[in-house]
Amino acid sequence: MTEQKSPRRRGRPRGASDSRARILAAAVDDFAEKGYDGATVRSIAARAGVDSALVHHYFGTKADLFAEAVGIPLRPDIDVPRILAGSRDGVGERLVRYVLKAFEQPEVRRRGVMLIRTAVGSRLTTPLLAGFLSRELLSRVARSLDTDDADLRAALVASQIAGMLIARYVLRLPALAGASVDELVGRVGPTVQRYLFD
Amino acid sequence: MTEQKSPRRRGRPRGASDSRARILAAAVDDFAEKGYDGATVRSIAARAGVDSALVHHYFGTKADLFAEAVGIPLRPDIDVPRILAGSRDGVGERLVRYVLKAFEQPEVRRRGVMLIRTAVGSRLTTPLLAGFLSRELLSRVARSLDTDDADLRAALVASQIAGMLIARYVLRLPALAGASVDELVGRVGPTVQRYLFD
């Protein structure tokens, strides 16, 4: 634990960095126990023995706090809607490239694989990833599509992206693990594009 | 455990059904410990304290023994090549329908979800599913394609099918869990078709 605030001898609130660490630990426990939808900023604050306002002060929204708790230096809930807002041509390829380039970073891959293993492997933590995906990612993608079947389109995209990550980085099927990012962008990008727009 | 052989009062080897059960238990342990590629009929026979010939006698090949050990009443290593051998039109849709119809059976779904959870969730058992998929399923699909990039095509199909099963039956993303089999066949079938043949 490093100090988060610059040290100030007098007047500095006792245990400011302690509160931050306590909130983060409470968030990890609360998310693991209740899933993404069940945990709230309020329940996390109560568990940490602090006011909700302090949680917002240190971490912002629930999605911010989740990203911090999971420890992945990546914000798909912010980046993906940005990709979708660009020109419609090649949205699929840009999305696949974004995910693969992220997972090619060892630190993202390490934590991402851990998160996938945990979420798929345990009945207890499955709702964590499913809830985050549904609320923060798929619903935003769906909103940007504005069709009757937008939720299904977004979920189909998630199924192909998740399957690609699992086959390449978890199961490590040789042909997929050995393919280049460009090769996979060229093969999987059109699938994502079709699910979104065709 | 039911008797597999017709009972014969005299001359029946003592403990025939015991041997069968012991081989099956040894197979479960050996597959779990060494993965699909690492375990052999020989190593399983040694672990059970019987001759390899007896393993072949009761269970046939390693793939047969694996299907029995995993307990899924489904033989994709036999059924999938059969689907691929049919008319090229609609192979993708037939493949997706085959997988979904299987998983709509409660017993297949229960064991299939358990297998996926175990294989993705644990570093120890991941090679089990990956090995079976690669050796018994993907290599057969690839052989039937007869192109330079057949292995990659087969692995891409596996990634989409696995992702669909995980999103629908494990994560249970609402839009996918709520879609009908026909709806999913219509959406995902063309993806599989494209990965295989385009």
Side-chain angles (χ1 to χ4, degrees):
Chain A
M1 285 294 122
T2 56
E3 290 287 332
Q4 298 296 318
K5 304 272 151 187
S6 57
R8 193 151 58 94
R9 291 272 161 177
R10 270 183 299 188
R12 179 176 171 247
R14 234 168 50 75
S17 73
D18 277 4
S19 299
R20 197 182 180 283
R22 217 161 61 233
I23 292 168
L24 201 53
V28 169
D29 289 346
D30 221 50
F31 281 131
E33 196 177 302
K34 302 174 184 166
Y36 186 78
D37 291 338
T40 62
V41 165
R42 202 171 160 158
S43 69
I44 290 166
R47 188 185 279 254
V50 302
D51 195 82
S52 294
L54 197 65
V55 177
H56 287 300
H57 170 70
Y58 280 126
F59 295 99
T61 67
K62 184 164 85 167
D64 296 319
L65 184 50
F66 179 75
E68 194 91 10
V70 169
I72 295 185
L74 200 70
R75 292 300 302 272
D77 56 316
I78 294 170
D79 300 332
V80 169
R82 220 173 256 162
I83 290 169
L84 285 161
S87 82
R88 177 184 281 212
D89 277 2
V91 162
E93 297 204 348
R94 292 207 302 280
L95 212 49
V96 173
R97 188 179 297 280
Y98 162 78
V99 172
L100 287 173
K101 286 196 96 166
F103 266 74
E104 291 300 308
Q105 300 169 44
E107 186 58 14
V108 173
R109 181 164 65 242
R110 196 177 67 75
R111 289 174 185 267
V113 167
M114 192 183 67
L115 180 65
I116 291 172
R117 280 198 190 278
T118 312
V120 173
S122 149
R123 197 176 297 276
L124 287 174
T125 49
T126 301
L128 192 62
L129 189 64
F132 178 77
L133 281 175
S134 293
R135 296 275 169 273
E136 302 291 346
L137 197 55
L138 304 189
S139 67
R140 286 172 200 217
V141 173
R143 230 174 295 144
S144 84
L145 290 175
D146 195 28
T147 60
D148 279 354
D149 58 357
D151 287 330
L152 181 56
R153 287 172 181 273
L156 286 166
V157 170
S159 82
Q160 173 59 92
I161 302 256
M164 177 184 72
L165 293 177
I166 288 169
R168 180 174 167 93
Y169 298 109
V170 181
L171 299 181
R172 292 187 193 151
L173 299 180
L176 266 178
S180 70
V181 168
D182 284 341
E183 174 87 68
L184 290 177
V185 166
R187 304 260 180 168
V188 180
T191 297
V192 172
Q193 187 81 7
R194 190 174 64 77
Y195 285 153
L196 289 172
F197 303 116
D198 278 7
Chain B
M1 282 294 127
T2 57
E3 290 285 331
Q4 296 298 314
K5 304 273 152 190
S6 57
R8 192 151 58 94
R9 289 272 163 182
R10 270 183 301 188
R12 177 175 171 249
R14 233 172 49 76
S17 73
D18 277 6
S19 298
R20 198 184 179 281
R22 216 162 60 232
I23 292 168
L24 202 53
V28 170
D29 289 347
D30 222 50
F31 281 132
E33 195 176 302
K34 303 174 184 166
Y36 186 80
D37 291 338
T40 62
V41 166
R42 200 169 162 163
S43 68
I44 290 165
R47 188 184 280 254
V50 303
D51 195 83
S52 295
L54 197 65
V55 176
H56 287 300
H57 170 69
Y58 280 126
F59 296 98
T61 67
K62 184 165 87 168
D64 297 318
L65 184 50
F66 179 74
E68 193 91 9
V70 169
I72 296 185
L74 199 73
R75 294 297 304 270
D77 55 318
I78 294 169
D79 300 332
V80 170
R82 221 173 254 160
I83 290 169
L84 285 161
S87 82
R88 178 183 284 212
D89 276 3
V91 162
E93 297 203 349
R94 293 206 302 281
L95 211 52
V96 173
R97 188 179 297 280
Y98 162 77
V99 173
L100 287 173
K101 288 196 96 167
F103 266 73
E104 291 300 308
Q105 300 170 45
E107 186 58 13
V108 172
R109 182 165 62 243
R110 198 178 66 76
R111 289 173 186 267
V113 167
M114 193 184 66
L115 180 64
I116 291 171
R117 280 198 189 279
T118 311
V120 174
S122 147
R123 196 178 297 276
L124 287 175
T125 50
T126 300
L128 192 62
L129 189 64
F132 179 77
L133 282 176
S134 293
R135 296 276 168 272
E136 303 292 344
L137 197 56
L138 304 189
S139 67
R140 286 173 201 216
V141 173
R143 232 174 293 142
S144 85
L145 291 175
D146 194 29
T147 59
D148 279 354
D149 56 357
D151 288 331
L152 180 56
R153 288 172 180 273
L156 286 165
V157 170
S159 82
Q160 173 59 92
I161 303 256
M164 178 184 71
L165 294 177
I166 288 170
R168 180 175 169 91
Y169 299 109
V170 181
L171 300 180
R172 292 186 194 153
L173 300 180
L176 267 179
S180 70
V181 168
D182 284 341
E183 173 87 67
L184 290 177
V185 167
R187 304 258 182 169
V188 180
T191 297
V192 172
Q193 188 80 8
R194 191 174 63 77
Y195 286 154
L196 288 172
F197 302 116
D198 280 6

